[in-house]
Amino acid sequence: MIADLRHVDTWLFDLDNTLYPAESGFMAAIVDRMTDFVERVTGLPRDEAFRLQKTYLAEHGLTLKGMMLNHGVDPAEFHAIFHDMSLEALAHDADLLAALQRLPGRRLIFTNADDVHAQRVLKHLGLDALFDDVFHIGSAGYEPKPSPAAFAKMGELHGIDPGVTAFFEDSERNLAPAADLGMTTVLVGPHAPTCAAPFVHHRTEKLAPFLSGAHLREVA
């Protein structure tokens, strides 16, 4: 079904596993480094460190938040472990580039990653010039999605009108607060077609064809 997005003039995108496919394996490599970090800081065996990492993710929306609260971790030290990661798994997508270019209005990134990681990935994908700004975890005062406080800070900073905003995410639970605010929500990824959550308005396995086929506002 073709999505009617003619009311949208602010386009809000998550970054990881949304602007590149989950099957790239890049996010899995990030999780491996995260587990290494938790193992090193806590001294736990790797399997226990992985479980703790996932517990913090479930409880706080971000492993880093749990590490900050319970282990006194410096967020700069945590984010530095990702800044030298190889980006070879991420490929340019000409169809996605063209689809993003046709969107009328503002394009923004809303990510739980830090600014360095976001800019590295966007530049490597050839998408950095298409976005007006990146609202990263530092911008949110380390309050991650799906916290309503993160949405409030992002909305205040960028003057977001939820009624004309579409939010694209690979994480279902991060779309719930967006829908509560009145945004149009789009779940992206291989799991999207089976999602039955009422706060998810559109579902697509692939971002580029969804955007390319959507009905958009005509620009005068």
Side-chain angles (χ1 to χ4, degrees), residues 5 8 22 31 57 70 142 163 200 213:
L5 301 178
V8 177
V31 171
L57 177 64
N70 297 293
Y142 298 97
V200 176

Side-chain angles (χ1 to χ4, degrees), residues 165-187:
T165 299
F167 184 34
F168 298 77
E169 257 277 4
D170 71 296
S171 172
E172 179 182 313
R173 70 172 180 168
N174 287 347
L175 292 175
D180 288 342
L181 290 169
M183 295 182 189
T184 298
T185 60
V186 185
L187 184 63

Side-chain angles (χ1 to χ4, degrees), residues 20 26 48 51 56 58 62 83 88 101 103 105 109 112 114 136 161 165 176 184 186 199:
Y20 60 81
F26 183 64
E48 293 182 28
R51 284 196 294 271
Y56 287 160
L62 190 66
H83 293 168
E88 290 183 3
Q101 285 176 326
L103 301 179
I109 297 293
N112 279 347
D114 77 330
H136 52 85
D161 177 354
T165 299
T184 298
V186 185
F199 54 81

Side-chain angles (χ1 to χ4, degrees), residues 16-126:
D16 291 304
N17 281 358
T18 298
L19 290 182
Y20 60 81
E23 54 265 32
S24 69
F26 183 64
M27 193 63 198
I30 290 176
V31 171
D32 280 344
R33 288 208 177 189
M34 210 177 298
T35 305
D36 290 342
F37 183 87
V38 175
E39 185 179 8
R40 184 170 70 252
V41 169
T42 63
L44 291 170
R46 188 170 185 80
D47 58 342
E48 293 182 28
F50 180 76
R51 284 196 294 271
L52 182 64
Q53 170 190 333
K54 293 303 182 183
T55 296
Y56 287 160
L57 177 64
E59 291 179 349
H60 303 289
L62 190 66
T63 298
L64 170 60
K65 187 74 172 182
M67 296 298 290
M68 291 171 64
L69 292 174
N70 297 293
H71 306 276
V73 164
D74 179 351
E77 178 187 0
F78 176 84
H79 286 299
I81 68 175
F82 309 112
H83 293 168
D84 65 346
M85 289 188 66
S86 170
L87 303 176
E88 290 183 3
L90 304 179
H92 282 238
D93 185 338
D95 292 337
L96 179 59
L97 177 65
L100 289 169
Q101 285 176 326
R102 71 184 287 259
L103 301 179
R106 296 185 296 170
R107 308 178 200 100
L108 303 167
I109 297 293
F110 184 15
T111 177
N112 279 347
D114 77 330
D115 54 340
V116 176
H117 173 81
Q119 293 296 346
R120 286 186 78 229
V121 170
L122 287 171
K123 184 175 181 179
H124 182 81
L125 292 172

Side-chain angles (χ1 to χ4, degrees), residues 122-134:
L122 287 171
K123 184 175 181 179
H124 182 81
L125 292 172
L127 303 178
D128 50 321
L130 293 181
F131 289 92
D132 296 273
D133 198 14
V134 174

